Amino acid sequence: MKMEFEDALAGGAKTRHFLHEDTPAVRREHSAKVAGGAPRVAIVHDWLVTYAGAERVLEQIIACFPDADIFSVVDFLEDRSFLRGKRATTSFIQKLPFAKKRYRAYLPLMPLAIEQLDLSAYDLVISSSHAVAKGVLTGPDQVHVSYVHSPIRYAWDLQHQYLQQSNLTAGVKSLFARLILHYVRNWDIRTSNSVNHFIANSEFIARRIHKVYRRSSKVIFPPVDVDSFDPCAQKEDFYLTASRMVPYKKIDVIVEAFARMPERKLVVIGDGPDMNRIRAKATPNVEIMGYQPFAVLHDNMRRAKAFVFAAEEDFGISVVEAQACGTPVIAFGKGGALETVRDAWGPQPTGMFFQTQTPDAIIDAVVAFESGLFTFDAADCRSNAERFSNERFREGLLAHIARIAPQFVLPPPPVEEKAPENEAPLSDLRVLAVDQSGALGGAELSMLEVVKNMRGDVQTVLFDDGPFRIALEAVGVKVDVLDGKSLGDLRKDGKTRPGAGMLRGVLRLLRGTLDKSRNADVIYVNTQRAMVIGAIAGLIARRPVVWHLRDIVSEEHFGRTQLAIIKWCTKLMLEHVIANSTASAAAVTALTRLREERLDVVFNGISSEPFTELESVAQHEFRARFGLPQDAFVVGCFSRLARWKGQHVLLEALRECQEMHAVFVGAALFGEDEYEAELRAYVLEHGLAERVHFLGFQNDIAACMKAVDVVTHTSIMPEPFGRVIIEGMLSKRPVVATRAGGVMDIVDDGENGILCSPGDAAELARILERLKSNEPLRERLVEQGYVNATSRFGTQRYVESVEKILNDVAGRARKR
C-alpha cells in the first residue's frame, strides 16, 4: 500500500465526555485492585517501524506510564530509545513473509490481528491509533482510552485518493480493494463502541471522530519537542518550506508561486516521490536542498523570515516547530493550521492565512506579508509554540485520565473558581441554534453575534462546513456539522424539484437535528431551510422553535412551493418569529396572518470593534494590501455575487463615471457562477478591466471597506435588512443604497446616506459623481452614519433582545 499512514495527525471539536462503562460497581472493583497493587496499564500502537509524529505521541504516553506494557501489530524498530528499551507484544503479522517491508499489504488482516492481542490482564488500556489500534478487545471492567490521530483516513475521506495513488481505480484489483475498504469501514465503526473515552489530537480530528463514530472527544494537542528549537529574532531575506514531497503537501504549488516572484528567495527542504517534478518547476531563486539532517533544518528555520505551508493537515508539526524558532507562518487556512497559528488580524499574531491552494493565493499572501502592514514578534511565535510542548501534552493527558478514571491517577486538589464581580450572571437557558450554511454571509455573521454573546448554553448545528464553523469554534461555541449537500441544488424560486436523494438528505438532517434538540429548551433557527428542518424536529421533540427571519418572504424572492412551506410551518410549528426589519415583518405577516404577539422586530447588531481597531491604519496601506490604485476614487460593492444583489448596476454606472474604479468583494456562493461569468464578460466587453477589481471572498470586510472611498448597496429587489450599509457606516465611509426593503429602516436620505432607485444605473452614476466632487457632503454623511450605526444597531441591545425572546418562549413552554 502506497499511502503514507504516518502523515495522518489530526483535530476536532470541544465536547462533553461520558464514561460508558464507569459505574459505581466498576469503580469499587477497580479500587479493590489498586488497593492490592498498582493498576496494570497497556499501551497499544498501530505499528512500530519508524519514528514519526504518531511515535512522538507514543513516546510521551510511555513517559506518563513508564511501567506500561506495549502492544503493536508489528515491531521492526531498530532504534528503541524512545520506547525506553521496551519491546512490543506483536500479532501474527510479525511472522508473515515480507512483513518487515510490506506490512501495509497486510491491511485486510490487521483488524483480525489486533483483536488477537490478549489484554485481559490490564486495568487501563491506552491506544494510540491512526489505523486499527483502537480495535483491541477489552472487557466491561477495563477502561479503554483511545488517542486518535485520525479515523482510518484511507478507508474514509481519502479512499479515492488512496485508490488513485495505488493505481487501483479500475479492474478486478480495484473492486477487491473497494470491498476490503468497505469491510474496514464497517469494522472501524463497530469497534468504536468498545472505546470508553476518545481523545483527539486537534479540533479538526474531533469533528471527524464525531462524524464517523458519532462520539464526543477531548482535544489534547500532540506533543512537539519545542525545547529542541531555539528562537531567533534576526531574520534573513528568504522563505522556507520543509516537508516530505508527496502530492497532498502541495510543495509544487509553493514552488510555482515563488517561480513567479523572482525577487523572493525560497529554500525547500525534504525528499520524496515528487522530488523530480518539483525540481523541474524550480527557478534560480528557488533552492531545492533535498533531505537534510536536523541541524540544517533547525538553522534554516531560525533564519527564515517566514515558513510557508500549503497542505491541509490534521495538525502540522512543522508549523509549530517553525514558530518555536520564532518564525512566523504563511499557511493554507484550513485544517490544523487554524488551531496552531494566530492570525495576523488578531492579538499577538504568529502568521497569516491564504484561502486556496493556488500559486496566486500564495503570491497575494507573500505580498501582504512584505507590505509592512503586519508585524510579527519572535517572542509571540515562541510563546504560541510552547502551548504544544511535551510537558503540556503530559500534563493534559494525566489530568484528563485523572478526571475520567481517577482510580488510576490521583487527581490534583480542586481549585474553587470565583466569578468576576462585574460579570453578568449566567443563564440556565439551553439553546440549539441551527443554520443551513457553512459560508459567512450576512445571516451567519448576525447569528454569530447572538450565540457568542449569549449567557446560556448554546450548541450549534450547521448543514454545511466552512468558515462559519471556524468562526463559531473560535469563540468557544460547540458546533456539529451535518451533511446537507443534498440540499445544495434546492433554490428559493422553487424550480428545483425534490428527488429521492434530496428527500433522503432531508431525513438525515432531520435525524441529526432531532438528536441534538432533545437537550435544548428552545430551538433557534436562522435561515429558511434550517427553519423547516428545525420546525419539524421541534414538533417531534416537543421543543419550541423560534425563527430569526432574515428574508423578505414574497414572490420576488421565493417560489410558490417555498412560500407555501414557509406559510404552514410558520402557522403550525413555530412558537415565535424574530424579523430583522419592518419590511421582513410586513412580508411574513401578509403571507401567514401571524398574530402580533408571535412576532417581534429586532434590528441586527453589528460590532464596531473590527472597524475601530483599524482607525490608526492609513488608507494607502489597505490599498497596497489588496492591490488597488493609490490615487483613484474607488467605489466598493460588498455582497455575494448574485443577480438580485445588482452588481451589474454598478458596472453600468461605471461606464458613465470615467475616472472611477470599482471593487467587488464577494463570491458566487449558491450556484450563481453564471452571473459572475456575465459580470466578468461585461467588464471585458466594455473595456473596464483596468478599473474593476474582483477580490472574491474576504474575511476582513472592515479592511476592505477602509480601502474604498464610497460603499454602495445595489440590490434590485427589496433587501431584508442591509448589513453592509451598517458596516459601511462603521467604516466611516459614505453609503449609497437602494430605496427598498429593510434599507428604509437604516438610511435617512441625505442625512446619514443617500438613497437611489433600484436598478437605475444612471441615477447611481450621478450620485457617485456628486459624492466624488463634494468632500463636505461625504464628511457629513460619514459623521451622521457613524452615529446612526453605533446608537441604533449596537450588538448589546441586539443580543439582549434576542436572548429575552428566547427566554420568554422557553419559559412559556415549561409552564405548559
Side-chain angles (χ1 to χ4, degrees), residues 482 504 506-516:
L482 306 180
R504 286 195 297 271
V506 168
L507 290 175
R508 284 197 300 271
L509 293 176
L510 179 59
R511 282 196 297 268
T513 306
L514 186 61
D515 179 56
K516 297 299 175 185

Side-chain angles (χ1 to χ4, degrees), residues 156-359:
W156 291 100
D157 50 324
L158 287 188
Q159 171 185 295
H160 301 293
Q161 180 180 332
Y162 162 71
L163 293 172
Q164 190 174 36
Q165 291 181 2
S166 301
N167 295 320
L168 293 172
T169 55
V172 176
K173 288 184 178 180
S174 174
L175 176 62
F176 183 62
R178 293 172 193 271
L179 288 172
I180 290 173
L181 293 176
H182 177 73
Y183 154 70
V184 170
R185 280 192 293 274
N186 289 335
W187 176 87
D188 193 33
I189 292 175
R190 177 178 60 78
T191 55
S192 69
N193 295 320
S194 67
V195 176
N196 297 104
H197 295 273
F198 279 105
I199 300 174
N201 77 344
S202 69
E203 301 286 350
F204 187 61
I205 288 304
R207 290 193 299 276
R208 185 175 284 144
I209 289 171
H210 187 267
K211 182 167 187 174
V212 173
Y213 303 145
R214 312 305 298 173
R215 292 284 300 279
S216 301
S217 55
K218 167 71 173 178
V219 175
I220 300 177
F221 292 116
V224 180
D225 188 11
V226 296
D227 291 339
S228 295
F229 295 85
D230 298 318
C232 177
Q234 301 300 317
K235 301 301 180 182
E236 299 179 17
D237 191 19
F238 72 93
Y239 293 83
L240 173 70
T241 188
S243 171
R244 179 165 169 74
M245 293 187 182
V246 291
Y248 85 94
K249 295 286 188 178
K250 303 294 181 182
I251 302 297
D252 58 328
V253 178
I254 300 173
V255 170
E256 284 181 36
F258 277 85
R260 290 162 52 185
M261 296 185 288
E263 73 281 9
R264 313 284 182 211
K265 181 180 178 181
L266 174 69
V267 173
V268 182
I269 294 178
D271 201 349
D274 281 1
M275 170 64 88
N276 291 335
R277 187 165 64 91
I278 290 169
R279 279 193 186 279
K281 294 183 176 183
T283 48
N285 62 309
V286 177
E287 181 181 0
I288 309 290
M289 296 182 68
Y291 170 79
Q292 296 294 325
F294 173 77
V296 176
L297 172 65
H298 182 205
D299 177 60
N300 279 274
M301 270 190 174
R302 295 178 73 247
R303 295 185 293 111
K305 64 162 59 175
F307 184 82
V308 186
F309 186 78
E312 181 184 348
E313 284 278 20
D314 303 325
F315 180 72
I317 286 177
S318 61
V319 169
V320 178
E321 291 174 338
Q323 292 174 85
C325 293
T327 301
V329 177
I330 301 173
F332 177 49
K334 225 176 164 186
L338 292 171
E339 301 170 52
T340 57
V341 179
R342 291 177 178 154
D343 189 27
W345 293 98
Q348 298 177 307
T350 65
M352 58 194 304
F353 298 113
F354 51 91
Q355 300 305 315
T356 57
Q357 293 170 304
T358 61

Side-chain angles (χ1 to χ4, degrees), residues 745-762:
D745 289 326
I746 305 171
V747 179
D748 293 324
D749 192 16
E751 296 298 323
N752 54 28
I754 297 181
L755 296 175
C756 68
S757 303
D760 192 333

Side-chain angles (χ1 to χ4, degrees), residues 57 61 86 144 147 205 226 253 326 407 432 487 500 512 532 541-542 550 567 591 597 619 672 731 739 757 791 800:
V57 173
I61 296 175
K86 295 176 182 287
H144 180 185
Y147 188 98
I205 288 304
V226 296
V253 178
Q407 61 269 40
L432 177 67
L487 302 183
V532 175
R542 298 183 179 181
R550 307 183 192 276
K567 176 179 178 179
L591 177 68
E597 62 269 22
Q619 187 185 63
E672 290 154 326
S731 70
R739 188 183 289 105
S757 303
S791 62
E800 287 177 353

Side-chain angles (χ1 to χ4, degrees), residues 555-765:
E555 292 184 358
E556 290 179 290
H557 291 268
F558 292 89
R560 291 183 179 180
T561 303
Q562 275 69 20
L563 288 174
I565 293 171
I566 291 169
K567 176 179 178 179
W568 293 109
C569 283
T570 302
K571 289 172 71 72
L572 302 178
M573 301 183 198
L574 299 183
E575 187 75 19
H576 205 86
V577 175
I578 303 172
N580 67 348
S581 68
T582 54
S584 297
V588 77
T589 301
L591 177 68
T592 65
R593 301 289 185 260
L594 199 64
R595 296 195 309 272
E596 185 177 341
E597 62 269 22
R598 293 178 60 198
L599 175 66
D600 278 290
V601 175
V602 178
F603 295 135
N604 291 340
I606 294 129
S607 173
S608 62
E609 186 177 348
F611 300 89
T612 55
E613 286 178 348
L614 301 178
E615 285 294 320
S616 62
V617 183
Q619 187 185 63
H620 71 84
E621 296 183 58
F622 294 117
R623 291 197 173 184
R625 174 184 172 187
F626 297 114
L628 301 178
Q630 292 291 346
D631 300 326
F633 190 85
V634 180
V635 180
C637 188
F638 303 83
S639 172
R640 78 173 195 263
L641 301 182
R643 190 175 303 279
W644 78 273
K645 291 289 188 179
Q647 284 89 354
H648 60 279
V649 179
L650 178 55
L651 287 181
E652 292 170 12
L654 200 66
R655 295 180 62 193
E656 306 298 323
C657 305
Q658 295 295 326
E659 297 180 0
M660 290 187 195
H661 285 240
V663 172
F664 293 94
V665 177
L669 297 181
F670 305 117
E672 290 154 326
D673 303 87
E674 183 178 339
Y675 179 66
E676 179 180 359
E678 288 178 21
L679 294 176
R680 293 182 180 275
Y682 186 94
V683 168
L684 294 175
E685 180 183 352
H686 296 282
L688 300 174
E690 293 185 0
R691 295 195 289 131
V692 175
H693 313 270
F694 290 95
L695 299 187
F697 173 81
Q698 295 287 334
N699 282 315
D700 195 345
I701 293 298
C704 293
M705 286 187 170
K706 291 281 190 180
V708 306
D709 296 296
V710 174
V711 171
T712 59
H713 168 272
T714 58
S715 295
I716 60 176
M717 292 195 297
E719 185 83 50
F721 180 68
R723 178 188 178 92
V724 68
I725 299 170
I726 307 295
E727 292 175 327
M729 292 175 174
L730 290 172
S731 70
K732 296 186 178 179
R733 296 295 182 263
V735 174
V736 181
T738 52
R739 188 183 289 105
V743 174
M744 306 305 292
D745 289 326
I746 305 171
V747 179
D748 293 324
D749 192 16
E751 296 298 323
N752 54 28
I754 297 181
L755 296 175
C756 68
S757 303
D760 192 333
E763 183 183 2
L764 177 59

